[in-house]
């Protein structure tokens, strides 16, 4: 606005200063998958684990998104979006009734058909007349599984649900218990109830991983002579694609995880690695299209080194290779401690991995690899599914598979920093994420340039702003070079904006960056020093 100076006096004018370029968010994650409650296909901002439980429910077995979000906050994450996906099929949760109380598995699927519920007296009551002892005012509830299911006495190859339950029993050292002359493994025990009212329902529904109280009239359920089996569970067909598409409208996202790709199975519950790979590629494609997301992918359960390499390289029959600079693959699975059940639980690695991403971004910057004995230290991971050796990593690392390893004196750490890309320009996670950060920062902060006169004044202003932003990054250690001129260049002038491009309404800003690469291979070279004639003097 041009001021009109009509009378003598002092006039104040505000002159626009340099427009600073604000760094884009780098550590806000999106978790797309299976949770207990909440609106479907609705990205919801969550800033703490308590906020998650209020909106989406508690930790549930065979719903790995809840565990991933839990670990994300445990390992350093501060905010994320959660998208609850819908069942596109006819999935059902297994159910059972004991008296007037109805129980159901905590998530959909055939896995719940292996569960059984046992109601018993809180104290041992003898009954000299034989038969079942009379119920006492105080009772216990146990979630059990037939020992034959775990011990494999039924024959055949166990499916994924059985493998996970077996791993849980073995890892936690659960011994079999004799109930009515038959062996069972007690997965969970809840003691000291006087009725099946509100306290009973709340305690089971917030603390159990395996079951929920679907309904109850508050009356004490009768004792079970033998455990009551849950039945009717049917596999779900989780619509991860629709959940992914909802992220296109969410701003400030930078990380992605879909932990429930690991539960994609055939109708018999057997792992379908081909379809799991297809789902991962769907997530990678979204990241590439948006150019703002980076995906931490999970491996199928219980694969050995050769199998996970085949999974990644696409050498499985009918599978596709996993190849993109916008994602990383972590291996193997991890065990974390569940304080509600006082037990260790198996989870895919994306949750704790993204927690370390967020921690590293906050403490150093997006240009630092979220790996190693410091930034890659997973403090809440108690064990790993497989103990990998240097020889194993010799095969995994060149194929872009980042390992989780247990190192002496350091514990469980992320010990890989590579993307799944075959393009050597984008070998490292930190390099790809640095470029995403710079690109999104410039995109967000240079919106003011649109529709401005495309002339020397604009070119100078843009060059000045971008140069200041990149100089700050160089000072922080994000770019390589002894001087800013060695670390980057910015060109926005007549050389790259000739008349013909200006007539088309186009403005070109050419930027070159020299990223800092991680010191992935540290070679310590030692030689013998030959002592001279005066070495002893």
């Amino acid at each position: 606005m041009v001021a009109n100076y009509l009378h003598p006096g002092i006039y104040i004018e505000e002159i626009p200063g340099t427009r600073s370029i604000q760094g884009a968010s780098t550590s806000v994650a999106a978790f797309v998958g299976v949770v207990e409650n909440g609106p479907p296909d609705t990205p919801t901002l969550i800033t703490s684990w308590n906020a998650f439980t209020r909106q989406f429910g508690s930790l549930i077995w065979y719903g790995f998104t809840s565990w991933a979000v839990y670990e994300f906050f445990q390992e350093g994450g501060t905010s994320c979006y959660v998208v609850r996906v819908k069942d596109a099929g006819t999935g059902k949760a297994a159910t059972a009734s004991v008296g007037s109380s109805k129980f159901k598995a905590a998530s959909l699927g055939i896995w719940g058909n292996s569960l059984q519920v046992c109601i018993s007296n809180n104290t041992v009551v003898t009954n000299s007349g034989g038969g079942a002892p009379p119920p006492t005012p105080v009772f216990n509830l146990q979630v059990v599984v037939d020992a034959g299911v775990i011990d494999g006495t039924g024959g055949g190859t166990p499916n994924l649900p059985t493998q996970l339950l077996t791993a849980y029993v073995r890892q936690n050292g659960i011994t079999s218990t004799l109930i009515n002359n038959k062996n069972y493994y007690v997965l969970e025990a809840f003691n000291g109830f006087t009725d099946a009212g509100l306290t009973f329902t709340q305690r089971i529904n917030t603390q159990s991983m395996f079951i929920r109280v679907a309904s109850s009239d508050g009356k004490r359920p009768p004792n079970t002579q033998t455990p009551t089996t849950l039945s009717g569970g049917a596999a779900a067909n989780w619509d991860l694609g629709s959940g992914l598409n909802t992220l296109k409208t969410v701003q400030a996202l930078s990380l992605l995880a879909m932990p429930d790709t690991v539960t994609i199975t055939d109708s018999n519950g057997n792992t379908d690695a081909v379809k799991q790979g297809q789902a991962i590629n769907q997530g990678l494609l979204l990241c590439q299209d948006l150019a703002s997301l980076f995906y931490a992918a999970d491996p199928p359960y219980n694969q050995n080194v050769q199998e996970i390499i085949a999974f990644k390289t696409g050498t499985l029959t009918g599978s596709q290779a996993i190849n993109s600079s916008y994602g990383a693959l972590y291996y193997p699975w991890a065990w974390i401690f569940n304080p509600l059940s006082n037990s260790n639980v198996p989870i895919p690695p994306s949750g704790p991995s993204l927690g370390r991403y967020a921690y590293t971004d906050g403490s150093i910057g997006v240009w630092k690899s979220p790996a190693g004995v410091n930034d890659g230290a997973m403090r809440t991971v108690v064990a790993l599914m497989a103990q990998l050796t240097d020889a194993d990593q010799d095969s995994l690392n060149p194929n872009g598979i980042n390992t989780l390893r247990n190192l002496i004196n350091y514990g469980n750490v992320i010990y890989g920093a590579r993307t799944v890309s075959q393009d050597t320009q984008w070998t490292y996670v930190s390099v790809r994420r640095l470029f995403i950060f710079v690109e999104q920062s410039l995109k967000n902060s240079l919106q003011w340039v649109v529709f401005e006169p495309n002339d020397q004044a604009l070119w100078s202003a843009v060059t000045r702003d971008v140069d200041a932003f990149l100089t700050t990054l160089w000072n922080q250690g994000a770019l390589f070079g002894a001087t800013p001129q060695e670390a980057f260049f910015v060109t926005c002038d007549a050389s790259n904006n000739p008349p013909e491009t200006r007539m088309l309404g186009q403005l070109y800003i050419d930027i070159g960056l020299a990223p800092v690469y991680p010191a992935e291979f540290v070679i310590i070279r030692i030689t013998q020093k030959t002592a001279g004639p005066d070495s002893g003097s």
Side-chain angles (χ1 to χ4, degrees):
M1 177 179 178
V2 178
N4 292 320
Y5 306 115
L6 301 179
H7 66 84
I10 298 173
Y11 294 83
I12 297 175
E13 296 180 8
E14 293 184 352
I15 306 300
T18 302
R19 296 173 175 85
S20 62
I21 294 177
Q22 301 297 319
S25 170
T26 62
S27 56
V28 179
F31 292 91
V32 179
V34 180
V35 294
E36 183 179 358
N37 302 313
D41 290 342
T42 305
T44 305
L45 178 62
I46 299 296
T47 56
S48 69
W49 174 244
N50 287 337
F52 176 90
T53 58
R54 289 192 299 268
Q55 182 73 39
F56 294 104
S58 191
L59 299 167
I60 56 173
W61 190 261
Y62 223 65
F64 288 106
T65 295
S66 59
W67 300 95
V69 174
Y70 175 76
E71 274 298 289
F72 174 73
F73 285 114
Q74 288 286 308
E75 289 290 348
T78 57
S79 61
C80 66
Y81 282 83
V82 176
V83 181
R84 181 191 184 196
V85 298
K86 297 179 296 187
D87 173 25
T90 56
K92 293 182 180 179
T95 61
S97 295
V98 181
S100 57
S101 296
K102 184 177 180 179
F103 302 94
K104 67 175 183 178
S107 65
L108 308 184
I110 63 174
W111 72 271
N113 297 331
S114 297
L115 302 182
Q116 296 174 290
V117 176
C118 181
I119 306 294
S120 61
N121 292 328
N122 189 54
T123 56
V124 177
V125 178
T126 59
N127 185 9
S128 57
T136 58
V138 182
F139 67 96
N140 304 332
L141 179 147
Q142 293 177 320
V143 181
V144 304
V145 60
D146 191 317
V149 173
I150 303 301
D151 297 336
T153 56
T157 302
N159 59 16
L160 177 62
T162 301
Q163 290 179 45
L164 289 171
L165 284 175
T166 301
Y168 178 79
V169 169
R170 300 290 185 244
Q171 174 69 17
N172 290 287
I174 301 174
T175 57
S176 61
T177 299
L178 196 65
I179 303 175
N180 196 25
N181 297 319
K182 189 174 181 180
N183 283 319
Y184 296 87
Y185 289 103
V186 178
L187 303 177
E188 292 178 326
F190 301 92
N191 303 326
F193 297 110
T194 56
D195 58 44
L198 183 61
T199 300
F200 174 80
T201 299
Q202 288 183 336
R203 186 175 165 194
I204 300 298
N205 289 358
T206 58
Q207 296 185 16
S208 174
M209 293 182 289
F210 296 102
I211 66 167
R212 296 290 182 262
V213 179
S215 62
S216 176
D217 63 0
K219 296 180 181 179
R220 182 211 196 279
N223 291 342
T224 52
Q225 284 276 27
T226 59
T228 301
T229 302
L230 278 68
S231 61
N237 179 18
W238 298 114
D239 188 0
L240 294 171
S242 294
L244 276 175
N245 286 334
T246 65
L247 301 180
K248 294 179 180 179
T249 60
V250 182
Q251 298 182 2
L253 284 179
S254 52
L255 300 169
L256 171 66
M258 293 194 297
D260 292 293
T261 58
V262 300
T263 62
I264 297 176
T265 61
D266 62 19
S267 58
N268 296 318
N270 298 310
T271 295
D272 192 331
V274 172
K275 288 185 177 180
Q276 289 184 23
Q278 292 171 350
I280 290 173
N281 275 316
Q282 189 176 11
L284 290 170
L285 183 60
L286 175 73
C287 294
Q288 292 174 198
D289 290 343
L290 296 179
S292 59
L293 279 176
F294 190 86
Y295 179 17
D298 293 297
Y301 175 75
N302 202 31
Q303 289 196 322
N304 60 33
V305 171
Q306 290 71 34
E307 289 169 337
I308 189 60
I309 292 175
F311 174 75
K312 193 272 177 187
T313 57
T315 54
L316 296 173
T317 302
S319 69
Q320 299 173 326
I322 299 173
N323 177 14
S324 171
S325 68
Y326 285 87
L329 176 62
Y330 291 88
Y331 170 83
W333 281 37
W335 289 94
I336 67 165
F337 180 72
N338 178 10
L340 297 178
S341 63
N342 197 35
S343 62
N344 296 332
V345 179
I347 66 166
S350 61
S353 296
L354 287 190
R356 300 316 295 173
Y357 276 57
Y359 172 85
T360 306
D361 289 356
S363 60
I364 302 176
V366 70
W367 52 87
K368 169 65 175 69
S369 297
V373 298
N374 294 315
D375 299 311
M378 300 176 292
R379 310 296 184 190
T380 60
V381 170
V382 298
L384 301 174
M385 277 285 186
Q387 294 300 319
L388 301 177
T389 65
D390 289 345
D392 293 329
Q393 199 162 8
D394 286 344
S395 300
L396 295 167
N397 199 63
N399 282 292
I401 301 171
N402 295 326
T403 60
L404 276 56
R405 295 190 62 180
N406 182 273
L407 301 182
I408 297 175
N409 297 326
Y410 296 106
N412 299 308
V413 302
I414 299 171
Y415 217 60
R418 296 194 171 200
T419 70
V420 290
S421 177
Q422 293 300 302
D423 186 343
T424 55
Q425 289 187 96
W426 306 110
T427 296
Y428 296 107
V429 170
S430 58
V431 174
R432 167 41 81 193
R433 295 190 66 227
L434 170 65
F435 273 75
I436 291 175
F437 168 69
V438 171
E439 291 163 5
Q440 294 304 307
S441 299
L442 297 178
K443 179 181 177 181
N444 296 338
S445 296
L446 291 179
Q447 291 293 330
W448 68 270
V449 175
V450 180
F451 302 121
E452 290 295 302
N454 194 353
D455 56 14
Q456 289 87 347
L458 182 65
W459 303 340
S460 176
V462 168
T463 301
R464 176 196 62 209
D465 294 350
V466 176
D467 187 274
F469 172 66
L470 296 179
T471 299
T472 300
L473 286 182
W474 171 75
N475 283 325
Q476 293 174 336
L479 302 175
F480 182 84
T483 64
Q485 291 72 27
E486 292 182 4
F488 65 87
F489 69 80
V490 182
T491 303
C492 183
D493 54 28
S495 66
N496 59 344
N497 289 283
E500 54 269 26
T501 62
R502 299 201 304 272
M503 290 177 63
L504 296 173
Q506 298 172 350
L507 171 67
Y508 284 90
I509 310 166
D510 293 329
I511 300 171
L513 304 179
V516 175
Y517 292 95
E520 188 179 24
F521 308 103
V522 179
I523 300 95
I524 301 173
R525 298 191 291 192
I526 301 175
T527 187
Q528 288 188 354
K529 182 180 183 300
T530 303
D534 298 327
S535 61
S537 60

